[in-house]
Amino acid sequence: MNILSNTVRVKIPKKRLGRGIGSGKGKTSGRGVKGQKSRSGVAIKSFEGGQMPLYRRLPKRGFNPINKKKVAKINLDQLQNYLDNKKIDPESQINLESLKKSKIINKSYSKFKILANGNIKTKINIEADSSSNKAKEKIEKIGGILKLKETK
């Protein structure tokens, strides 16, 4: 058994292939004889020797609709934070367009929903596509107005 006394930085020299028969890795350089794998530039990643590959044996799952509506969800504590940082004007009506203009919601969203996480202290006038019942209660409790758009 070979025990190294100093194991901090052991440098193992790389094998020098194709350097003559005496090196032990000459001629075919440890690749065997003939065949696809003995050639250079070979990539057989998911090839299973003609057997149906795993990624084709397993079924595809789920369904991704083409025209899915992206809904932005905003909690009451996030709204209060934007009001405190003066990103939203509490006097004006808050709707999807105003939130997109102030770069709070990404342009790719087509609807937005108010959720009730956290509390709101500022009285606001907001127009949303949908909201949770708790969020509606909390906004109306402080004297704010929550107007929901008609869904088709």
Side-chain angles (χ1 to χ4, degrees):
M1 190 166 106
N2 186 8
I3 298 170
L4 298 171
S5 58
N6 184 7
T7 58
V8 180
R9 287 187 62 174
V10 178
K11 186 165 183 189
I12 299 163
K14 89 174 192 195
K15 290 177 184 158
R16 297 189 68 215
L17 306 174
R19 292 294 182 275
I21 199 165
S23 69
K25 289 280 184 225
K27 194 182 166 219
T28 53
S29 305
R31 285 176 174 260
V33 189
K34 295 186 179 176
Q36 190 179 11
K37 287 185 184 171
S38 71
R39 315 285 198 258
S40 68
V42 173
I44 318 173
K45 288 191 176 63
S46 61
F47 182 67
E48 296 180 22
Q51 175 176 302
M52 187 62 71
L54 182 69
Y55 68 90
R56 287 181 62 197
R57 284 196 301 256
L58 299 175
K60 291 186 181 74
R61 290 295 306 248
F63 173 74
N64 291 320
I66 298 164
N67 52 358
K68 185 182 177 187
K69 299 275 189 276
K70 277 184 84 177
V71 180
K73 298 170 192 87
I74 296 183
N75 280 307
L76 290 176
D77 58 351
Q78 289 173 303
L79 269 175
Q80 186 61 50
N81 190 20
Y82 292 131
L83 289 162
D84 293 342
N85 296 336
K86 296 185 174 47
K87 281 192 170 187
I88 303 174
D89 181 27
E91 303 303 314
S92 65
Q93 186 182 40
I94 300 163
N95 56 19
L96 185 67
E97 284 70 39
S98 68
L99 291 173
K100 281 182 182 179
K101 208 173 278 180
S102 58
K103 293 188 176 152
I104 291 167
I105 289 179
N106 193 322
K107 287 179 183 175
S108 64
Y109 289 103
S110 57
K111 293 183 174 188
F112 94 102
K113 181 174 184 170
I114 308 285
L115 299 176
N117 193 7
N119 286 312
I120 192 156
K121 299 173 217 111
T122 316
K123 185 174 148 180
I124 53 169
N125 179 9
I126 195 158
E127 183 184 23
D129 292 288
S130 56
S131 85
S132 65
N133 292 334
K134 286 265 195 216
K136 189 172 175 136
E137 283 173 28
K138 286 182 180 180
I139 290 169
E140 289 172 350
K141 190 177 178 182
I142 58 154
I145 301 163
L146 175 63
K147 184 180 165 194
L148 296 177
K149 289 182 185 173
E150 291 296 315
T151 54
K152 293 173 186 171

